[in-house]
mmCIF file of all heavy atoms in Angstrom:
data_model
loop_
_atom_site.group_PDB
_atom_site.id
_atom_site.type_symbol
_atom_site.label_atom_id
_atom_site.label_comp_id
_atom_site.label_asym_id
_atom_site.label_seq_id
_atom_site.Cartn_x
_atom_site.Cartn_y
_atom_site.Cartn_z
ATOM 1 N N ARG N 20 -9.444 -127.541 48.259
ATOM 2 C CA ARG N 20 -9.733 -127.691 46.823
ATOM 3 C C ARG N 20 -10.928 -126.837 46.428
ATOM 4 O O ARG N 20 -10.898 -126.145 45.398
ATOM 5 C CB ARG N 20 -10.023 -129.151 46.494
ATOM 6 C CG ARG N 20 -8.797 -130.010 46.469
ATOM 7 C CD ARG N 20 -9.060 -131.483 46.304
ATOM 8 N NE ARG N 20 -10.202 -131.842 45.491
ATOM 9 C CZ ARG N 20 -10.855 -132.997 45.593
ATOM 10 N NH1 ARG N 20 -10.505 -133.889 46.496
ATOM 11 N NH2 ARG N 20 -11.865 -133.263 44.805
ATOM 12 N N ILE N 23 -9.959 -123.173 46.312
ATOM 13 C CA ILE N 23 -9.133 -122.843 45.143
ATOM 14 C C ILE N 23 -9.983 -122.817 43.878
ATOM 15 O O ILE N 23 -9.827 -121.923 43.035
ATOM 16 C CB ILE N 23 -7.955 -123.821 45.020
ATOM 17 C CG1 ILE N 23 -6.967 -123.572 46.167
ATOM 18 C CG2 ILE N 23 -7.259 -123.675 43.664
ATOM 19 C CD1 ILE N 23 -5.867 -124.612 46.274
ATOM 20 N N VAL N 24 -10.893 -123.776 43.724
ATOM 21 C CA VAL N 24 -11.776 -123.781 42.555
ATOM 22 C C VAL N 24 -12.603 -122.499 42.535
ATOM 23 O O VAL N 24 -12.754 -121.860 41.481
ATOM 24 C CB VAL N 24 -12.665 -125.043 42.541
ATOM 25 C CG1 VAL N 24 -13.788 -124.921 41.517
ATOM 26 C CG2 VAL N 24 -11.816 -126.278 42.257
ATOM 27 N N SER N 27 -10.472 -119.567 41.526
ATOM 28 C CA SER N 27 -9.998 -119.573 40.144
ATOM 29 C C SER N 27 -10.800 -118.630 39.250
ATOM 30 O O SER N 27 -10.377 -118.313 38.141
ATOM 31 C CB SER N 27 -10.015 -120.992 39.568
ATOM 32 O OG SER N 27 -11.329 -121.442 39.318
ATOM 33 N N ILE N 33 -2.140 -118.071 43.509
ATOM 34 C CA ILE N 33 -1.729 -118.563 44.823
ATOM 35 C C ILE N 33 -0.383 -119.247 44.660
ATOM 36 O O ILE N 33 -0.249 -120.165 43.845
ATOM 37 C CB ILE N 33 -2.755 -119.553 45.406
ATOM 38 C CG1 ILE N 33 -4.133 -118.886 45.534
ATOM 39 C CG2 ILE N 33 -2.273 -120.098 46.753
ATOM 40 C CD1 ILE N 33 -5.259 -119.852 45.882
ATOM 41 N N ILE N 35 2.435 -121.319 46.778
ATOM 42 C CA ILE N 35 2.674 -122.045 48.030
ATOM 43 C C ILE N 35 4.120 -122.501 48.037
ATOM 44 O O ILE N 35 4.573 -123.163 47.108
ATOM 45 C CB ILE N 35 1.745 -123.268 48.163
ATOM 46 C CG1 ILE N 35 0.278 -122.858 48.014
ATOM 47 C CG2 ILE N 35 1.983 -123.979 49.495
ATOM 48 C CD1 ILE N 35 -0.688 -124.029 47.875
ATOM 49 N N ASP N 44 2.944 -134.001 48.900
ATOM 50 C CA ASP N 44 2.227 -134.545 47.743
ATOM 51 C C ASP N 44 0.884 -133.851 47.525
ATOM 52 O O ASP N 44 0.480 -133.613 46.388
ATOM 53 C CB ASP N 44 2.005 -136.050 47.889
ATOM 54 C CG ASP N 44 3.280 -136.842 47.671
ATOM 55 O OD1 ASP N 44 4.258 -136.274 47.141
ATOM 56 O OD2 ASP N 44 3.308 -138.033 48.034
ATOM 57 N N ALA N 45 0.189 -133.518 48.603
ATOM 58 C CA ALA N 45 -1.109 -132.848 48.472
ATOM 59 C C ALA N 45 -0.943 -131.462 47.858
ATOM 60 O O ALA N 45 -1.790 -131.009 47.089
ATOM 61 C CB ALA N 45 -1.801 -132.744 49.830
ATOM 62 N N MET N 46 0.158 -130.796 48.174
ATOM 63 C CA MET N 46 0.413 -129.470 47.596
ATOM 64 C C MET N 46 0.657 -129.591 46.095
ATOM 65 O O MET N 46 0.191 -128.767 45.319
ATOM 66 C CB MET N 46 1.637 -128.819 48.248
ATOM 67 C CG MET N 46 1.524 -128.629 49.717
ATOM 68 S SD MET N 46 0.241 -127.455 50.152
ATOM 69 C CE MET N 46 0.594 -127.270 51.874
ATOM 70 N N GLU N 47 1.394 -130.625 45.704
ATOM 71 C CA GLU N 47 1.646 -130.866 44.280
ATOM 72 C C GLU N 47 0.315 -131.093 43.560
ATOM 73 O O GLU N 47 0.120 -130.643 42.433
ATOM 74 C CB GLU N 47 2.560 -132.077 44.078
ATOM 75 C CG GLU N 47 3.949 -131.932 44.656
ATOM 76 C CD GLU N 47 4.907 -131.139 43.779
ATOM 77 O OE1 GLU N 47 4.499 -130.669 42.694
ATOM 78 O OE2 GLU N 47 6.055 -130.978 44.198
ATOM 79 N N PHE N 48 -0.605 -131.781 44.222
ATOM 80 C CA PHE N 48 -1.925 -132.060 43.654
ATOM 81 C C PHE N 48 -2.689 -130.757 43.400
ATOM 82 O O PHE N 48 -3.384 -130.621 42.384
ATOM 83 C CB PHE N 48 -2.701 -132.972 44.613
ATOM 84 C CG PHE N 48 -4.137 -133.179 44.229
ATOM 85 C CD1 PHE N 48 -4.479 -134.021 43.184
ATOM 86 C CD2 PHE N 48 -5.150 -132.538 44.926
ATOM 87 C CE1 PHE N 48 -5.808 -134.214 42.831
ATOM 88 C CE2 PHE N 48 -6.473 -132.728 44.578
ATOM 89 C CZ PHE N 48 -6.802 -133.567 43.528
ATOM 90 N N LEU N 49 -2.567 -129.784 44.317
ATOM 91 C CA LEU N 49 -3.279 -128.512 44.174
ATOM 92 C C LEU N 49 -2.744 -127.685 43.017
ATOM 93 O O LEU N 49 -3.461 -126.879 42.436
ATOM 94 C CB LEU N 49 -3.186 -127.706 45.472
ATOM 95 C CG LEU N 49 -3.849 -128.321 46.691
ATOM 96 C CD1 LEU N 49 -3.579 -127.473 47.918
ATOM 97 C CD2 LEU N 49 -5.340 -128.514 46.476
ATOM 98 N N ASP N 50 -1.476 -127.872 42.694
ATOM 99 C CA ASP N 50 -0.846 -127.179 41.573
ATOM 100 C C ASP N 50 -1.336 -127.885 40.312
ATOM 101 O O ASP N 50 -0.876 -128.955 39.976
ATOM 102 C CB ASP N 50 0.674 -127.269 41.696
ATOM 103 C CG ASP N 50 1.408 -126.413 40.692
ATOM 104 O OD1 ASP N 50 0.795 -126.016 39.676
ATOM 105 O OD2 ASP N 50 2.591 -126.146 40.907
ATOM 106 N N GLY N 51 -2.287 -127.294 39.623
ATOM 107 C CA GLY N 51 -2.990 -127.949 38.521
ATOM 108 C C GLY N 51 -2.177 -128.280 37.293
ATOM 109 O O GLY N 51 -2.732 -128.361 36.201
ATOM 110 N N ASP N 52 -0.871 -128.485 37.440
ATOM 111 C CA ASP N 52 -0.036 -128.774 36.275
ATOM 112 C C ASP N 52 -0.334 -130.141 35.661
ATOM 113 O O ASP N 52 -0.068 -130.365 34.487
ATOM 114 C CB ASP N 52 1.452 -128.711 36.648
ATOM 115 C CG ASP N 52 1.906 -127.294 36.956
ATOM 116 O OD1 ASP N 52 1.187 -126.342 36.591
ATOM 117 O OD2 ASP N 52 2.979 -127.137 37.565
ATOM 118 N N ASN N 53 -0.872 -131.071 36.442
ATOM 119 C CA ASN N 53 -1.121 -132.423 35.940
ATOM 120 C C ASN N 53 -2.577 -132.650 35.569
ATOM 121 O O ASN N 53 -3.030 -133.787 35.481
ATOM 122 C CB ASN N 53 -0.678 -133.460 36.979
ATOM 123 C CG ASN N 53 0.817 -133.420 37.198
ATOM 124 O OD1 ASN N 53 1.583 -133.157 36.278
ATOM 125 N ND2 ASN N 53 1.236 -133.639 38.425
ATOM 126 N N GLY N 54 -3.321 -131.596 35.378
ATOM 127 C CA GLY N 54 -4.730 -131.721 35.016
ATOM 128 C C GLY N 54 -5.546 -130.667 35.730
ATOM 129 O O GLY N 54 -5.037 -129.902 36.536
ATOM 130 N N VAL N 55 -6.807 -130.630 35.428
ATOM 131 C CA VAL N 55 -7.700 -129.625 36.002
ATOM 132 C C VAL N 55 -8.034 -129.995 37.444
ATOM 133 O O VAL N 55 -8.448 -131.110 37.733
ATOM 134 C CB VAL N 55 -8.992 -129.529 35.167
ATOM 135 C CG1 VAL N 55 -9.975 -128.556 35.791
ATOM 136 C CG2 VAL N 55 -8.673 -129.119 33.740
ATOM 137 N N LEU N 56 -7.844 -129.043 38.342
ATOM 138 C CA LEU N 56 -8.206 -129.238 39.743
ATOM 139 C C LEU N 56 -9.725 -129.200 39.861
ATOM 140 O O LEU N 56 -10.382 -128.346 39.261
ATOM 141 C CB LEU N 56 -7.578 -128.140 40.616
ATOM 142 C CG LEU N 56 -7.860 -128.239 42.109
ATOM 143 C CD1 LEU N 56 -7.165 -129.466 42.693
ATOM 144 C CD2 LEU N 56 -7.391 -126.984 42.823
ATOM 145 N N ARG N 57 -10.269 -130.118 40.639
ATOM 146 C CA ARG N 57 -11.716 -130.168 40.856
ATOM 147 C C ARG N 57 -12.015 -130.085 42.348
ATOM 148 O O ARG N 57 -11.268 -130.593 43.167
ATOM 149 C CB ARG N 57 -12.303 -131.460 40.293
ATOM 150 C CG ARG N 57 -12.208 -131.530 38.782
ATOM 151 C CD ARG N 57 -12.963 -132.725 38.221
ATOM 152 N NE ARG N 57 -12.899 -132.718 36.774
ATOM 153 C CZ ARG N 57 -13.723 -132.026 35.984
ATOM 154 N NH1 ARG N 57 -14.683 -131.302 36.512
ATOM 155 N NH2 ARG N 57 -13.588 -132.064 34.677
ATOM 156 N N ALA N 63 -14.975 -128.023 38.235
ATOM 157 C CA ALA N 63 -13.623 -127.805 37.724
ATOM 158 C C ALA N 63 -13.189 -126.358 37.927
ATOM 159 O O ALA N 63 -14.003 -125.434 37.834
ATOM 160 C CB ALA N 63 -13.568 -128.146 36.241
ATOM 161 N N ALA N 64 -11.920 -126.179 38.187
ATOM 162 C CA ALA N 64 -11.355 -124.831 38.275
ATOM 163 C C ALA N 64 -11.428 -124.177 36.900
ATOM 164 O O ALA N 64 -11.214 -124.839 35.878
ATOM 165 C CB ALA N 64 -9.917 -124.892 38.763
ATOM 166 N N VAL N 65 -11.724 -122.903 36.868
ATOM 167 C CA VAL N 65 -11.799 -122.156 35.619
ATOM 168 C C VAL N 65 -10.416 -122.071 34.979
ATOM 169 O O VAL N 65 -10.271 -122.136 33.770
ATOM 170 C CB VAL N 65 -12.380 -120.744 35.866
ATOM 171 C CG1 VAL N 65 -12.303 -119.880 34.625
ATOM 172 C CG2 VAL N 65 -13.809 -120.844 36.369
ATOM 173 N N ARG N 66 -9.388 -121.949 35.818
ATOM 174 C CA ARG N 66 -8.007 -121.855 35.340
ATOM 175 C C ARG N 66 -7.080 -122.281 36.461
ATOM 176 O O ARG N 66 -7.468 -122.320 37.621
ATOM 177 C CB ARG N 66 -7.684 -120.440 34.854
ATOM 178 C CG ARG N 66 -7.905 -119.392 35.899
ATOM 179 C CD ARG N 66 -7.917 -117.961 35.368
ATOM 180 N NE ARG N 66 -8.036 -117.063 36.507
ATOM 181 C CZ ARG N 66 -7.008 -116.606 37.207
ATOM 182 N NH1 ARG N 66 -5.783 -116.898 36.862
ATOM 183 N NH2 ARG N 66 -7.194 -115.828 38.256
ATOM 184 N N ASP N 67 -5.854 -122.598 36.096
ATOM 185 C CA ASP N 67 -4.837 -122.985 37.078
ATOM 186 C C ASP N 67 -4.307 -121.718 37.738
ATOM 187 O O ASP N 67 -3.793 -120.836 37.057
ATOM 188 C CB ASP N 67 -3.707 -123.741 36.374
ATOM 189 C CG ASP N 67 -2.554 -124.087 37.303
ATOM 190 O OD1 ASP N 67 -2.750 -124.112 38.535
ATOM 191 O OD2 ASP N 67 -1.445 -124.337 36.795
ATOM 192 N N ILE N 68 -4.445 -121.632 39.067
ATOM 193 C CA ILE N 68 -3.971 -120.436 39.764
ATOM 194 C C ILE N 68 -2.922 -120.758 40.828
ATOM 195 O O ILE N 68 -2.438 -119.853 41.506
ATOM 196 C CB ILE N 68 -5.134 -119.640 40.421
ATOM 197 C CG1 ILE N 68 -5.832 -120.458 41.506
ATOM 198 C CG2 ILE N 68 -6.119 -119.164 39.368
ATOM 199 C CD1 ILE N 68 -6.792 -119.648 42.370
ATOM 200 N N VAL N 69 -2.564 -122.028 40.993
ATOM 201 C CA VAL N 69 -1.657 -122.419 42.078
ATOM 202 C C VAL N 69 -0.291 -122.803 41.517
ATOM 203 O O VAL N 69 -0.184 -123.537 40.538
ATOM 204 C CB VAL N 69 -2.240 -123.603 42.892
ATOM 205 C CG1 VAL N 69 -1.254 -124.071 43.949
ATOM 206 C CG2 VAL N 69 -3.556 -123.200 43.540
ATOM 207 N N GLN N 70 0.742 -122.300 42.173
ATOM 208 C CA GLN N 70 2.112 -122.720 41.905
ATOM 209 C C GLN N 70 2.679 -123.208 43.240
ATOM 210 O O GLN N 70 2.726 -122.450 44.208
ATOM 211 C CB GLN N 70 2.938 -121.548 41.362
ATOM 212 C CG GLN N 70 4.424 -121.785 41.274
ATOM 213 C CD GLN N 70 4.839 -122.753 40.174
ATOM 214 O OE1 GLN N 70 4.052 -123.529 39.688
ATOM 215 N NE2 GLN N 70 6.089 -122.706 39.799
ATOM 216 N N PHE N 71 3.063 -124.480 43.294
ATOM 217 C CA PHE N 71 3.694 -125.019 44.495
ATOM 218 C C PHE N 71 5.183 -125.198 44.246
ATOM 219 O O PHE N 71 5.586 -125.714 43.211
ATOM 220 C CB PHE N 71 3.095 -126.368 44.910
ATOM 221 C CG PHE N 71 3.877 -127.009 46.020
ATOM 222 C CD1 PHE N 71 3.831 -126.481 47.296
ATOM 223 C CD2 PHE N 71 4.701 -128.089 45.779
ATOM 224 C CE1 PHE N 71 4.584 -127.034 48.319
ATOM 225 C CE2 PHE N 71 5.453 -128.655 46.795
ATOM 226 C CZ PHE N 71 5.394 -128.124 48.075
ATOM 227 N N VAL N 72 5.975 -124.753 45.218
ATOM 228 C CA VAL N 72 7.428 -124.878 45.124
ATOM 229 C C VAL N 72 7.954 -125.459 46.433
ATOM 230 O O VAL N 72 7.756 -124.865 47.497
ATOM 231 C CB VAL N 72 8.093 -123.504 44.870
ATOM 232 C CG1 VAL N 72 9.595 -123.630 44.826
ATOM 233 C CG2 VAL N 72 7.564 -122.875 43.597
ATOM 234 N N GLU N 92 4.820 -119.133 36.818
ATOM 235 C CA GLU N 92 3.499 -119.269 36.212
ATOM 236 C C GLU N 92 2.635 -118.016 36.309
ATOM 237 O O GLU N 92 1.592 -117.931 35.664
ATOM 238 C CB GLU N 92 2.756 -120.453 36.845
ATOM 239 C CG GLU N 92 3.402 -121.787 36.550
ATOM 240 C CD GLU N 92 2.638 -122.969 37.121
ATOM 241 O OE1 GLU N 92 1.497 -122.789 37.597
ATOM 242 O OE2 GLU N 92 3.177 -124.077 37.095
ATOM 243 N N GLN N 96 -0.798 -116.903 34.241
ATOM 244 C CA GLN N 96 -2.040 -116.890 35.013
ATOM 245 C C GLN N 96 -2.756 -115.547 34.875
ATOM 246 O O GLN N 96 -3.983 -115.502 34.766
ATOM 247 C CB GLN N 96 -1.749 -117.213 36.480
ATOM 248 C CG GLN N 96 -1.324 -118.660 36.683
ATOM 249 C CD GLN N 96 -0.837 -118.953 38.081
ATOM 250 O OE1 GLN N 96 -0.624 -118.051 38.893
ATOM 251 N NE2 GLN N 96 -0.641 -120.227 38.381
ATOM 252 N N ASN N 99 -4.224 -115.502 31.384
ATOM 253 C CA ASN N 99 -5.392 -116.389 31.344
ATOM 254 C C ASN N 99 -6.611 -115.745 31.985
ATOM 255 O O ASN N 99 -7.733 -115.898 31.505
ATOM 256 C CB ASN N 99 -5.098 -117.721 32.032
ATOM 257 C CG ASN N 99 -4.233 -118.628 31.192
ATOM 258 O OD1 ASN N 99 -4.040 -118.397 30.004
ATOM 259 N ND2 ASN N 99 -3.692 -119.663 31.806
#
Side-chain angles (χ1 to χ4, degrees):
R20 285 173 33 204
I23 291 171
V24 168
S27 72
I33 301 170
I35 305 169
D44 286 345
M46 301 294 190
E47 297 279 1
F48 172 76
L49 296 175
D50 188 341
D52 291 344
N53 295 326
V55 176
L56 181 68
R57 293 188 177 276
V65 173
R66 57 194 184 87
D67 176 21
I68 63 169
V69 176
Q70 170 72 340
F71 172 71
V72 178
E92 294 183 10
Q96 291 171 350
N99 285 347

